[in-house]
Amino acid sequence: MAHAAGAHAVHEAPTGFIRKYIFSLDHKVIGIQYYLLALVAVWVGMILSLYMRLRLAWPTEEFPLVGGVMTPEAYLSLVTMHGTIMVFFVLTTAPQSGFGNYILPIQIGAADMAFPFLNALSFWVTFLSFAVMLAAFFVSGGAPISGWTGYPPLSAVGEVAGPGLGLGQTLWVVSLAIFCGGALLGALNFIATTLDLRAKGMYLMRMPLTVWAWFITAILGLLAFGVLLAAGVLLLMDRVAGTSFFIPGGLVISEQIISHKGGSPLLWQHLFWFFGHPEVYIAILPGMGVVSQILSTFARKPIFGYRAMVYAIMGIGGLGFLVWGHHMFISGMSPYSAIAFSVLTLSIGVPSAIKTFNWLGTLIGGRIRFTTPMLYALGFVSLFVTGGLSGLFLGQPSLDLYLHDTYFVLAHFHMVMGVAAIFGIFAGTYFWFPKMFGRMMNEPLGKLHFWITFIGVYAIFMPMHYIGIAGHPRRYAETSGVEYLGSLQPVHDFISIVAIVTIAAQFIFLFNFFWSLYHGEKASVNPWECTTLEWTVPSPPPHDNFGGHSPVVYHGAYEYNVPGASQDYIMQTSPEKVTH
Amino acid sequence: MAEILAPGKQQDGVGGGGGGFHEGDFGGYGSGPPPGTSRRIYRTGMWLGLLAISMVFLAFTSAYIVRSGLSDDWLPIELPRLLWGNALLLFLSSLTIERTRKALNGGRRAECNHWLAVTTALGVAFLVGQLLVWRQLASHGVYVTTNPSSSFFYLLTATHGLHLLGGVMALLYIVWQAWHYQLGPAKRTLVEVTAIYWHFMDGLWIYILLLLSLWR
Amino acid sequence: MAVVLALAITVITLVSMYLFTVKTWWMPPYISEYGQAYDQHFMLTLVICGIIFFLAQLGLAYAIFRYRDRGQKVHYSHGNNTLEAIWTSATAVLFIGLVLWGSHIWARAHLQEAPAGAVQVEAWGQQFTWYFRYPGPDGRLGNTKPELMKESIGNPLGLDPDDPASRDDVVMPVIAIPVNRPVEVILRSKDVIHNFAVRELRLKQDLVPGLENRIHFTASQIGRYEVPCMELCGLGHYQMRTFLEVMSEADFENWLRENAPETQ
């Protein structure tokens, strides 16, 4: 068979430290690099949110590292950088580029990604982008204050509109443009790998749902990041070259006349959200894949409705490109288009509901093992339902007339694309850690971490729905400026206290992660008794994954408790017959 | 998507047992996996790359159309006639890169090198031509910020030019390989994907010209 | 573990739902013609979401509790196409039905023009204050020029002294309107995007520089209502606030007269 010879073509295992761990072409090393980048980013983003919560609960207190009492503009730069770092460098980076890079090639039986060099390049480009983003904190004027959505004219006219809108905002745009480059290279690589490097017998409809999720996410990324790149270039030109793509004429800021004319602020919003809405699914789809994999594994039962799950991923991805207008209901775009956007938006509820039903269907009739990854996967389902349902309010322009830009929106997207996606990342971490590092993570610590985090995030984000309904606007540095907000201040205090506890609990995770790297129990090849290909190779896998031979796949990904089988799971590579 | 992919799943599934390859593997013909795998990966990758580039230009196009219809300050730009001459150069280079590819496939090394050189020269000539167009416009007082239409003109030509410069770099790399007598049959994939890219840049230029001249 | 998790999910679900029903934090009573329909549709959506929330979370809790590993036999199944078809079509009908059912509120607010004879007010946002302009006795809003926009000389909206229509325009930092009369607000911005939102009106609309967005409504309760800026506009965003004063017709006329510019 020709395949056996194939593995020799793969780049040789490097020996020097630099080639092995820093500028490695091995998808596994690159996956870990992406994961660690996201780990650093998530701590930065989380500390920023901690300071936001401190400011909201105790607006007049002094806190370390910020030099006295936090100013409103400091609060807004926290808002901006928290959002940007979390969305791009955590939610886009960890589940897709991190786990996807590490696991996808192994799950389809390949020795590496299609373009290892591009893979390494995409990581280093992303790394550079992160460095540029962080640099915004340290330039004169500080980090930008225009939010992660960077709406012009605020983001386009420069320092005259506020601190941080000078060099800080420019670095922000440049960083995003660089990030787009890295994301496009990564997306291209994922798609080519999935299309062309599957092992013999790994038909599309036998791929694990994780692979489907990464694959569709990559397609979304390939189509979406180019648009953000284009929008970023236009914004940068408005800022530094003096063009007027997004800046209208006749602006007067602080009694200064702005010389630009004729541009359209809404044009940015259209371009940004054409990227921005698919981006939401780029964050959550990989989590859905991971959760499907984990639920099936620990319920010891095939995933319920595999094909429906695949079509639902495609449906969510496809519809995701047609709904960007629901971010702009009250912006002044055509009110007729709002109706079309809202129908399409609520249609996304359908594939999302299919996924939820199928997850429940997978659990029912199973024999559930409550490991830490399983707890996180179950938590994901609960959070996804909660976060998804508030979308039914916001997707309707009629109801958005009141709810737009309130804490209700904040609650919605934090639940579904923030916390649910993070739960997907946690689930993936506890699940694949043994494969990636050869040791088990500590289960009691993992469970403790789960309980505090699960209850904590509900206690943080549920109340945001209530103050949203009471009309609390987003991105307010404090409640003193509006009378009716005064009565909502106790809710802020409550949220902040819970947030401090929940953030503190993340040290348990960090400790568990690094402690287990060195002292965790040694992991066997297949500690979870899972069926997919990564569990057929040593933990961690050798440089070329399959040790020079190519696997052959005989089954779909989720054959658990097949009647008449010799054990309660059948590996994808096992030639054992399955009679349906 | 699945409906499109599923019919081909049999062959998709059987192929590609190998793994990843990076640039260095081109030289190792014979010791690698079935050469078809590598060729297919590179073709897939190139098409995906072109898709991503298309999205960038699609976004620019929609911005162009929205912006032009939006305000009363839009003055259509007078397109220098040299642009059409440049288009002709690029079109010719598409023909010559095809000759390059055919010559390489037929094993006619000298002919291949000849057409390769011509293509590269035409590509460079196009870029120089574009620079001349910019100088012409600048000498008439038309700069990036003069009018939204000129902003878009510079934006579109510069973005296209940068992409074409990438193509020229690839051609120079191939020339360098040919110079060192390393342009064997294994390099066909490289020449082939460069040709795909080159044709795409040609088509993209025609598209940009049509956009600029028809939607004013 | 299973029992605790099932219990936790159940408790979280019930507490969350309870807090929605006590309405400790809730919308203030409405004062516009959209209010009744809005609140009804909000409740309908809330009830539907509440039922789904309850069933999904408790279904999850039940599955966790009932199918925990007690050595039972696993039911081998790859799914059920009939079930898939049922819940796909059921959710599609429910969700799309819901949005269409409620779209009349949107249509009334945005697809219908303001009725003829509506009181016209022009709202201007700037970092970080509001200005409202009334056409004055001549019924016409005069020209404004960006180069004349100077708060320091008392002309924040840049009224053009050469335009007779501008001279009688009334410019105020709060918005007053007569009760029970249709009002049209034309929303404009001097600098960045702001947002005009009055909770009691159940209305919200961006002020986008370069655009003239319009909203219309009829307020039915005399009173003073807060108008916070709801679109991030810079460091003073949180204190960019004004008031909507709904007055009797006579008070409104008085108010306009009292605040009319002195030079006639």
Side-chain angles (χ1 to χ4, degrees):
Chain A
M1 192 168 56
H3 297 89
H8 294 295
V10 172
H11 42 86
E12 294 299 313
T15 43
F17 178 82
I18 301 259
R19 287 300 305 272
K20 201 169 173 184
Y21 296 110
I22 310 295
F23 295 108
S24 173
L25 300 182
D26 184 344
H27 71 101
K28 297 184 290 297
V29 176
I30 296 169
I32 291 172
Q33 286 174 326
Y34 264 120
Y35 184 89
L36 293 178
L37 175 69
L39 193 62
V40 172
V42 81
W43 277 84
V44 175
M46 196 170 65
I47 298 301
L48 298 181
S49 69
L50 174 67
Y51 273 96
M52 283 154 68
R53 287 316 318 175
L54 292 175
R55 175 78 168 73
L56 285 168
W58 301 282
T60 53
E61 293 289 319
E62 295 189 16
F63 297 103
L65 298 178
V66 286
V69 177
M70 249 182 282
T71 55
E73 57 268 32
Y75 176 81
L76 288 179
S77 62
L78 295 177
V79 168
T80 305
M81 297 300 273
H82 167 77
T84 309
I85 288 174
M86 288 300 199
V87 168
F88 291 98
F89 297 100
V90 179
L91 298 177
T92 309
T93 298
Q96 177 75 6
S97 311
F99 289 130
N101 243 317
Y102 197 105
I103 303 294
L104 182 140
I106 315 183
Q107 277 194 339
I108 63 172
D112 203 324
M113 294 288 256
F115 306 103
F117 178 75
L118 288 190
N119 203 16
L121 187 63
S122 76
F123 169 75
W124 286 105
V125 168
T126 310
F127 183 83
L128 173 69
S129 160
F130 187 55
V132 173
M133 185 62 74
L134 288 186
F137 277 114
F138 305 104
V139 296
S140 97
I145 60 167
S146 57
W148 85 278
T149 50
Y151 279 8
L154 190 61
S155 63
V157 291
E159 206 130 34
V160 63
L165 298 174
L167 188 52
Q169 185 80 60
T170 302
L171 288 174
W172 181 87
V173 184
V174 169
S175 164
L176 286 197
I178 298 173
F179 186 90
C180 289
L184 286 173
L185 291 178
L188 183 158
N189 216 342
F190 273 64
I191 301 171
T193 306
T194 312
L195 286 179
D196 288 341
L197 291 184
R198 276 169 290 129
K200 185 177 180 185
M202 181 59 86
Y203 307 140
L204 288 173
M205 282 299 171
R206 280 182 181 171
M207 295 197 308
L209 288 169
T210 39
V211 175
W212 268 112
W214 287 317
F215 178 54
I216 300 292
T217 302
I219 295 174
L220 296 187
L222 192 78
L223 298 177
F225 277 106
V227 176
L228 180 66
L229 178 60
V233 169
L234 295 179
L235 184 59
L236 196 64
M237 284 180 73
D238 271 7
R239 292 183 55 80
V240 301
T243 55
S244 303
F245 295 114
F246 302 129
I247 309 177
L251 294 194
V252 180
I253 303 180
S254 308
E255 310 217 333
Q256 282 185 51
I257 295 194
I258 306 296
S259 60
H260 298 262
K261 56 181 186 180
S264 163
L266 291 198
L267 177 57
W268 165 268
Q269 295 186 21
H270 279 293
L271 292 173
F272 183 84
W273 288 116
F274 184 86
F275 148 79
H277 202 79
E279 166 63 27
V280 173
Y281 300 117
I282 290 172
I284 194 78
L285 282 180
M288 292 176 164
V290 171
V291 164
S292 304
Q293 172 97 358
I294 292 176
L295 288 183
S296 176
T297 302
F298 295 106
R300 313 307 296 162
K301 189 167 165 287
I303 195 83
F304 195 88
Y306 172 86
R307 273 179 184 270
M309 290 299 247
V310 172
Y311 296 139
I313 295 175
M314 292 178 184
I316 292 173
L319 283 169
F321 277 104
L322 304 173
V323 301
W324 77 90
H326 69 221
H327 298 270
M328 301 171 60
F329 284 149
I330 52 112
S331 68
M333 80 171 178
S334 156
Y336 294 95
S337 70
I339 306 263
F341 278 126
S342 68
V343 171
L344 288 162
T345 301
L346 278 261
S347 306
I348 287 195
V350 178
S352 309
I354 293 173
K355 297 204 77 86
T356 308
F357 284 129
N358 282 327
W359 286 325
L360 292 180
T362 304
L363 293 175
I364 289 171
R367 192 171 61 227
I368 304 172
R369 298 175 183 171
F370 291 91
T371 58
T372 307
M374 185 60 165
L375 289 179
Y376 270 102
L378 293 167
F380 176 99
V381 175
S382 172
L383 289 162
F384 180 71
V385 169
T386 309
L389 283 172
S390 49
L392 293 188
F393 289 80
L394 297 167
Q396 302 185 58
S398 296
L399 298 185
D400 196 52
L401 282 173
Y402 179 92
L403 293 171
H404 190 96
D405 263 346
T406 63
Y407 264 74
F408 196 86
V409 179
L410 220 67
H412 165 66
F413 73 76
H414 272 95
M415 276 282 185
V416 72
M417 87 172 279
V419 177
I422 292 277
F423 268 52
I425 299 173
F426 279 139
T429 305
Y430 286 104
F431 185 65
W432 281 312
F433 187 93
K435 185 52 62 185
M436 293 166 78
F437 302 107
R439 290 178 186 272
M440 308 297 288
M441 282 181 86
N442 183 289
E443 276 284 307
L445 279 180
K447 285 176 174 145
L448 178 66
H449 173 229
F450 167 79
W451 283 111
I452 303 178
T453 310
F454 184 62
I455 294 167
V457 294
Y458 262 109
I460 291 169
F461 294 108
M462 230 31 230
M464 291 194 186
H465 291 93
Y466 310 131
I467 59 175
I469 293 176
H472 194 320
R474 287 171 76 178
R475 295 166 166 175
Y476 265 34
E478 55 189 73
T479 54
S480 66
V482 175
E483 281 165 23
Y484 72 76
L485 296 182
S487 63
L488 304 177
Q489 183 61 39
V491 184
H492 274 310
D493 301 347
F494 172 79
I495 295 173
S496 291
I497 291 167
V498 181
I500 291 168
V501 174
T502 311
I503 287 172
Q506 304 315 305
F507 282 100
I508 303 173
F509 172 78
L510 203 64
F511 173 78
N512 195 350
F513 189 94
F514 287 104
W515 185 84
S516 303
L517 271 184
Y518 299 102
H519 306 289
E521 188 191 329
K522 280 251 194 287
S524 63
V525 168
N526 191 1
W528 309 120
E529 302 181 303
C530 185
T531 58
T532 46
L533 262 60
E534 77 271 32
W535 305 106
T536 63
V537 294
S539 310
H543 179 72
D544 64 350
N545 296 343
F546 294 95
H549 80 283
S550 279
V552 180
V553 171
Y554 297 93
H555 306 285
Y558 304 106
E559 293 296 350
Y560 293 99
N561 278 298
V562 182
S566 55
Q567 53 184 2
D568 88 335
Y569 62 103
I570 299 179
M571 301 302 291
Q572 284 194 277
T573 51
S574 156
E576 189 170 344
K577 279 268 186 297
V578 175
T579 44
H580 285 279
Chain B
M1 190 80 193
E3 286 75 7
I4 303 165
L5 295 174
K9 69 182 182 183
Q10 204 66 27
Q11 72 203 46
D12 276 341
V14 173
F21 321 93
H22 60 110
E23 274 79 324
D25 295 319
F26 277 107
Y29 183 62
S31 70
T37 314
S38 148
R39 184 161 167 264
R40 206 168 37 151
I41 293 171
Y42 274 81
R43 287 176 63 104
T44 310
M46 179 49 72
W47 283 113
L48 292 170
L50 296 180
L51 187 61
I53 294 171
S54 306
M55 288 308 290
V56 175
F57 280 91
L58 203 63
F60 284 148
T61 305
S62 64
Y64 179 86
I65 290 172
V66 169
R67 185 66 181 80
S68 68
L70 188 80
S71 65
D72 43 14
D73 61 343
W74 182 278
L75 297 171
I77 190 171
E78 193 68 35
L79 293 182
R81 303 178 71 157
L82 184 53
L83 284 175
W84 299 97
N86 290 347
L88 186 66
L89 288 182
L90 205 52
F91 179 71
L92 286 177
S93 75
S94 255
L95 297 180
T96 56
I97 204 168
E98 270 309 292
R99 302 299 287 265
T100 313
R101 208 168 63 82
K102 291 224 172 75
L104 183 66
N105 284 349
R108 300 184 295 277
R109 173 161 289 161
E111 193 188 331
C112 168
N113 290 353
H114 169 74
W115 288 117
L116 190 58
V118 174
T119 310
T120 314
L122 283 170
V124 173
F126 172 84
L127 289 174
V128 173
Q130 294 291 79
L131 282 175
L132 287 177
V133 168
W134 283 6
R135 299 240 345 230
Q136 258 185 34
L137 282 176
S139 68
H140 287 89
V142 180
Y143 301 99
V144 179
T145 54
T146 307
N147 192 266
S149 65
S150 68
S151 306
F152 273 108
F153 179 86
Y154 282 102
L155 173 73
L156 290 169
T157 49
T159 315
H160 176 264
L162 274 178
H163 281 94
L164 199 87
L165 185 65
V168 169
M169 300 293 227
L171 282 177
L172 286 174
Y173 174 73
I174 298 170
V175 167
W176 186 75
Q177 294 272 312
W179 189 264
H180 290 80
Y181 298 102
Q182 286 169 336
L183 204 61
K187 287 290 182 341
R188 271 183 215 165
T189 309
L190 181 58
V191 175
E192 193 180 341
V193 294
T194 309
I196 294 174
Y197 183 77
W198 199 263
H199 293 321
F200 183 83
M201 283 302 133
D202 189 5
L204 185 61
W205 177 240
I206 307 226
Y207 166 78
I208 292 171
L209 260 189
L210 290 177
L211 180 71
L212 289 172
S213 53
L214 296 181
W215 193 288
R216 295 170 65 78
Chain C
M1 192 62 65
V3 184
V4 187
L5 184 59
L7 211 62
I9 292 176
T10 310
V11 170
I12 288 172
T13 305
L14 296 179
V15 170
S16 301
M17 291 181 71
Y18 171 74
L19 290 171
F20 271 105
T21 59
V22 293
K23 299 190 180 178
T24 311
W25 306 280
W26 204 252
M27 300 178 271
Y30 59 83
I31 60 163
S32 78
E33 72 270 40
Y34 312 116
Q36 190 185 10
Y38 185 95
D39 287 15
Q40 273 174 8
H41 192 66
F42 189 93
M43 281 314 290
L44 176 69
T45 308
L46 188 65
V47 168
I48 288 174
C49 286
I51 293 170
I52 301 174
F53 182 63
F54 182 83
L55 292 179
Q57 300 286 8
L58 266 65
L60 179 64
Y62 171 77
I64 287 169
F65 174 73
R66 169 75 176 72
Y67 297 103
R68 66 192 189 276
D69 187 355
R70 290 170 298 171
Q72 75 270 33
K73 206 167 163 335
V74 171
H75 174 68
Y76 178 80
S77 154
H78 274 282
N80 182 323
N81 286 338
T82 320
L83 273 179
E84 301 284 351
I86 290 174
W87 60 48
T88 304
S89 35
T91 46
V93 169
L94 182 67
F95 292 172
I96 294 173
L98 185 67
V99 63
L100 291 177
W101 183 259
S103 58
H104 65 100
I105 306 165
W106 176 260
R108 201 169 167 196
H110 279 295
L111 303 185
Q112 285 178 13
E113 299 277 302
V119 177
Q120 280 210 332
V121 189
E122 195 182 54
W124 281 85
Q126 76 170 56
Q127 289 180 332
F128 301 96
T129 50
W130 297 89
Y131 287 102
F132 298 91
R133 184 158 73 120
Y134 297 80
D138 68 351
R140 289 198 300 133
L141 292 165
N143 273 343
T144 60
K145 288 186 171 171
E147 57 270 25
L148 298 175
M149 291 182 176
K150 293 238 187 301
E151 281 178 300
S152 41
I153 57 163
N155 191 6
L157 299 187
L159 298 181
D160 181 359
D162 298 335
D163 181 7
S166 292
R167 287 184 205 151
D168 62 347
D169 288 358
V170 182
V171 177
M172 290 297 291
V174 296
I175 173 171
I177 56 163
V179 71
N180 289 330
R181 258 185 72 186
V183 176
E184 181 176 44
V185 185
I186 304 156
L187 302 156
R188 305 179 65 179
S189 168
K190 280 164 76 169
D191 41 33
V192 301
I193 303 177
H194 303 278
N195 183 291
F196 179 87
V198 183
R199 297 185 302 159
E200 291 80 359
L201 294 177
R202 308 286 191 264
L203 262 190
K204 183 170 288 182
Q205 183 72 42
D206 277 352
L207 293 73
V208 183
L211 289 183
E212 290 187 13
N213 288 336
R214 281 158 195 263
I215 50 171
H216 59 87
F217 56 86
T218 308
S220 57
Q221 287 287 326
I222 290 175
R224 192 162 180 262
Y225 307 97
E226 278 192 293
V227 186
C229 178
M230 286 250 193
E231 185 69 63
L232 178 58
C233 59
L235 63 96
H237 174 49
Y238 72 101
Q239 50 189 14
M240 180 169 165
R241 184 270 314 256
T242 184
F243 289 98
L244 169 75
E245 313 230 16
V246 183
M247 307 173 169
S248 69
E249 187 80 38
D251 285 352
F252 175 65
E253 296 300 334
N254 263 336
W255 182 85
L256 273 185
R257 248 193 315 276
E258 279 167 18
N259 294 303
E262 282 158 23
T263 50
Q264 282 293 328

